Amino acid sequence: MAASGQREYVAIAKPVMLENNQMSLAFERRLLEGSCMSRSRVSCTLITGFLGSGKTTLVRHILRNRGDLRIAVLVNEYSEVDIDGVIVHNAHSHASLGLPSAELASGCACCTKQNDMKQAVKDLMVGGHDFDHLIIETSGVADPGPLALMLEELNVQLHLIVTVVDAENLLNVLDNPIARRQLSFAEIVLINKCDLASLGTISDVEDKVEAEIGNVRVVRCRFAQVPLPLVVDVIEAVSPAPSSMSNDDAGVMSHEKVITQTTLRRAADNQSKTDADSDGTRKVPGSHSDKDGKEDAKAERRRKLANANRDIHIHEELGFTSLVFKSDEPILLSAFQDFVRNGVLKTHGLLRAKGVLWFQEDRNNRYVFQYSGKKRAETVCDSVWESPPSVKVVFIGRDSDALKALRSSLSQAVSPPSRDDAADVGVGKAKQFAAMVAADQRFQLLSSGGALGADNIEGTQGGSELLHKLAPSLVRFGMVGYPLKSITEAVLNTDLMCTVNASGALFLTAATPPHCGHFLQLAFGATSESDEAAQDPSVCWKIISDIASRVLIRAHRDVCPCRCDYTRSA
Ligand SMILES: Nc1nc2c(ncn2[C@@H]2O[C@H](COP(=O)(O)OP(=O)(O)OP(=O)(O)O)[C@@H](O)[C@H]2O)c(=O)[nH]1
């Protein structure tokens, strides 16, 4: 505790040893002081939020930065196949750590899967638990109310309900009763995806949140990167002093906003007020001596909310439906690019899609496909296959016919009807495109099977383990970073991919994960007439090159010019 009597908290984000030590030291200290939650009671954070808002991203962030904390995870997936479970576990293999985790797919934990969720929590508690904290991620269409009641019934200490919202898309989804309900339960709101929204939109979202639920803690972030103590029942820090805390380091884009004097629309808001003391001291809920009173008030508020509008959650009435596409054969990347541009991005009523992909052009690596929010689609190479490769994609939306049409057009990507000379045409186009990339100094050509015959790019920054034999119709490339200005390749390539894909004219996939530079790839080999036109190498290059200019302007905008630049301009 600081000399002033104010408590200090560590922003835990970068996975460095120092932070891990701080976490475990602080946790040990709490255990010694006896101020920790009783070991007989499981402490839990419930993460809710609408489809695609960033819940799994938050879980991954917590697992990546948990230090020595032992965190158990329960993931509930609405659709039949649990993509999140696959992604989360791969991110931080629980099994190898001996930590409990479970996936509950094919239904919502607030209704059809409630008994399964109850059983899963009970199983975790059998014989005393050997983890420090439990994270439950609800499905994107779950009502958190019944879950909160169920946890209370099981004597789980529900530390916090975190609602994650998509800054870019919240105002569009709030007409959905489930999205509203998820927001109403929030005890902290993470306004995520702030990198995709303008400051004006973020501010509108904050106003909307305030108007909807009044007094609540709101934190802006991107990729759900918030200091762990905000969302997990840990730890008063031993050091450092607040001045040394860097929100940037933690990925928080601005300081949390504590709304102190707003119209309190619900009787239960007394609890929330205690979260923000009048002296402005930040507190981590549930970690201090005033905990019991706060916990009671929280529980009371949750009960009231859960019992109001109990019948709101009937998925069929709300019109949600999900479909799964599965294949044990790899799909053609060039056909998948076409499928995203002409299928996914143009399907009205598709709310969410996600899956794991196996491409014919790159058989060794597993790709993760995501579609969410305001028509944002991305496919990123995640890891090498550690299990038998396959394709699994989940579509969630309101129009089952549209979803069926999508599924059938994806099935054609496994063996698309193609011209006899499609392979040669693809290789020829790849060569032309690769030559244009190679001639531009802003870019680096990593590999092109067709153009260079260099199908092994070991030694590149992409990391050899992710880059194996390439199909000759595939071109891998990326923008050159500016290390002296701290502009990394990953930042440039991510922005380039995001902007190109949002334009709908092309669909780029990332051949390496963000920490390996997020290098991009484009496959050639047209399968339809529309695709044929879109795959003209000169057209593709013009789109990418124009957007690259905008990406560079954006990246350099916030960089202070160095002295050489001043000299030159003087
Ligand atoms: N640009 C950007 N993308 C983000 C951010 N946070 C998450 N995403 C992306 O948004 C997509 C959906 O994120 P998830 O974490 O899977 O969302 P979710 O809420 O778990 O989705 P469901 O469980 O299916 O409802 C993924 O492609 C993420 O990489 C962010 O802050 N900025």
Side-chain angles (χ1 to χ4, degrees):
M1 194 165 306
S4 64
Q6 292 197 354
R7 296 186 174 101
E8 302 163 8
Y9 303 97
V10 174
I12 298 164
K14 283 187 179 171
V16 292
M17 286 309 293
L18 180 64
E19 288 161 351
N20 293 349
N21 287 342
Q22 284 165 352
M23 286 188 77
S24 61
L25 277 175
F27 191 68
E28 274 174 32
R29 198 178 65 149
R30 264 183 52 194
L31 284 173
L32 289 171
E33 286 174 356
S35 62
C36 172
M37 72 277 186
S38 156
R39 297 290 289 162
S40 62
R41 243 188 130 190
V42 171
S43 163
C44 168
T45 299
L46 187 63
I47 300 176
T48 186
F50 197 63
L51 292 165
S53 53
K55 299 178 293 297
T56 307
T57 308
L58 175 61
V59 174
R60 292 183 77 168
H61 168 69
I62 293 170
L63 294 181
R64 234 182 270 127
N65 296 285
R66 67 185 172 77
D68 293 338
L69 279 177
R70 296 170 62 80
I71 293 188
V73 179
L74 292 178
V75 180
N76 171 222
E77 182 75 76
Y78 174 58
S79 60
E80 178 194 325
V81 174
D82 182 15
I83 303 294
D84 286 351
V86 175
I87 300 170
V88 166
H89 291 177
N90 190 61
H92 218 279
S93 177
H94 262 58
S96 62
L97 293 168
L99 285 173
S101 62
E103 301 104 46
L104 301 156
S106 196
C108 227
C110 62
C111 48
T112 54
K113 282 280 159 181
Q114 196 173 10
N115 284 339
D116 294 15
M117 176 61 88
K118 200 169 182 175
Q119 192 54 48
V121 177
K122 277 184 183 169
D123 290 348
L124 288 180
M125 299 196 299
V126 169
H129 57 284
D130 62 349
F131 54 87
D132 303 318
H133 195 78
L134 168 65
I135 303 278
I136 298 182
E137 179 194 337
T138 72
S139 85
V141 289
D143 175 356
L147 283 169
L149 292 182
M150 186 262 288
L151 292 170
E152 190 184 342
E153 196 185 308
L154 292 175
N155 197 28
V156 170
Q157 183 189 6
L158 181 51
H159 157 64
L160 195 65
I161 300 181
V162 181
T163 303
V164 185
V165 304
D166 177 340
E168 192 189 32
N169 204 32
L170 179 76
L171 301 177
N172 297 329
V173 301
L174 267 191
D175 56 354
N176 191 301
I178 274 299
R180 271 206 140 77
R181 191 142 168 92
Q182 290 167 338
L183 190 57
S184 73
F185 273 88
E187 288 156 7
I188 180 168
V189 178
L190 302 191
I191 301 189
N192 190 36
K193 304 199 185 182
C194 282
D195 55 317
L196 300 178
S198 65
L199 283 176
T201 306
I202 296 170
S203 175
D204 290 348
V205 166
E206 283 171 345
D207 290 346
K208 188 71 183 168
V209 169
E210 184 174 348
E212 286 285 323
I213 51 174
N215 185 7
V216 71
R217 183 174 285 192
V218 178
V219 180
R220 297 179 187 183
C221 56
R222 55 191 157 84
F223 291 97
Q225 292 182 343
V226 292
L228 251 60
L230 273 184
V231 289
V232 177
D233 187 17
V234 287
I235 301 166
E236 187 180 328
V238 275
S239 65
S243 57
S244 64
M245 282 168 53
S246 158
N247 274 349
D248 286 346
D249 284 355
V252 182
M253 294 186 68
S254 75
H255 195 280
E256 67 192 82
K257 177 183 169 191
V258 182
I259 303 164
T260 48
Q261 297 297 326
T262 50
T263 313
L264 301 185
R265 297 182 349 150
R266 290 181 306 237
D269 269 347
N270 288 340
Q271 184 277 324
S272 302
K273 265 193 280 181
T274 61
D275 273 356
D277 283 1
S278 54
D279 65 357
T281 306
R282 294 171 64 206
K283 289 186 173 179
V284 178
S287 58
H288 303 295
S289 54
D290 58 347
K291 196 161 128 182
D292 290 347
K294 290 170 70 176
E295 293 302 328
D296 289 348
K298 267 188 197 172
E300 178 60 22
R301 172 179 179 264
R302 290 169 191 152
R303 272 195 293 273
K304 279 187 183 162
L305 282 170
N307 289 326
N309 300 322
R310 276 192 97 126
D311 55 346
I312 193 171
H313 191 61
I314 303 164
H315 293 116
E316 288 70 28
E317 278 185 15
L318 291 173
F320 294 116
T321 177
S322 82
L323 271 188
V324 178
F325 170 81
K326 288 186 198 170
S327 165
D328 290 331
E329 296 290 317
I331 54 177
L332 202 61
L333 174 55
S334 53
F336 183 75
Q337 291 168 180
D338 189 27
F339 163 75
V340 173
R341 283 190 305 106
N342 292 315
V344 173
L345 296 181
K346 292 187 181 160
T347 298
H348 185 69
L350 176 66
L351 295 171
R352 179 87 169 101
K354 55 186 167 182
V356 287
L357 301 174
W358 181 29
F359 289 125
Q360 290 179 22
E361 289 92 336
D362 182 13
R363 289 174 178 251
N364 292 303
N365 292 319
R366 189 179 79 169
Y367 287 75
V368 173
F369 168 59
Q370 299 273 8
Y371 169 83
S372 64
K374 263 192 164 176
K375 294 193 179 291
R376 298 274 176 188
E378 67 170 33
T379 299
V380 177
C381 180
D382 176 53
S383 63
V384 290
W385 283 102
E386 284 167 3
S387 52
S390 63
V391 179
K392 287 181 193 142
V393 181
V394 168
F395 302 101
I396 302 174
R398 292 215 185 82
D399 180 346
S400 59
D401 289 339
L403 298 194
K404 279 181 194 152
L406 265 182
R407 184 169 62 179
S408 100
S409 68
L410 181 53
S411 68
Q412 289 177 11
V414 177
S415 50
S418 67
R419 298 164 23 180
D420 293 344
D421 62 347
D424 292 343
V425 172
V427 174
K429 286 182 175 178
K431 279 183 180 174
Q432 284 179 42
F433 181 77
M436 291 182 228
V437 174
D440 191 318
Q441 289 186 343
R442 298 169 302 169
F443 283 85
Q444 50 190 319
L445 180 66
L446 290 182
S447 176
S448 162
L452 304 178
D455 54 6
N456 184 338
I457 52 173
E458 273 189 32
T460 64
Q461 282 163 289
S464 58
E465 74 281 8
L466 290 176
L467 305 170
H468 294 271
K469 287 230 172 247
L470 288 185
S473 56
L474 195 61
V475 183
R476 279 187 176 154
F477 62 100
M479 295 186 73
V480 177
Y482 299 80
L484 290 178
K485 296 184 175 179
S486 299
I487 299 175
T488 63
E489 285 148 347
V491 166
L492 296 175
N493 290 328
T494 304
D495 193 4
L496 181 66
M497 178 174 75
C498 207
T499 316
V500 168
N501 292 352
S503 76
L506 277 182
F507 185 69
L508 295 174
T509 58
T512 58
H515 63 274
C516 296
H518 235 196
F519 291 105
L520 306 173
Q521 63 187 7
L522 195 57
F524 291 87
T527 53
S528 66
E529 270 180 31
S530 66
D531 201 23
E532 180 99 40
Q535 287 212 346
D536 180 325
S538 311
V539 174
C540 295
W541 175 244
K542 174 141 186 31
I543 294 166
I544 291 171
S545 171
D546 288 352
I547 291 178
S549 305
R550 279 154 48 196
V551 165
L552 279 178
I553 291 170
R554 277 201 286 267
H556 282 86
R557 202 172 37 202
D558 301 327
V559 177
C560 286
C562 71
R563 292 177 68 105
C564 332
D565 289 338
Y566 280 124
T567 318
R568 229 180 286 140
S569 58

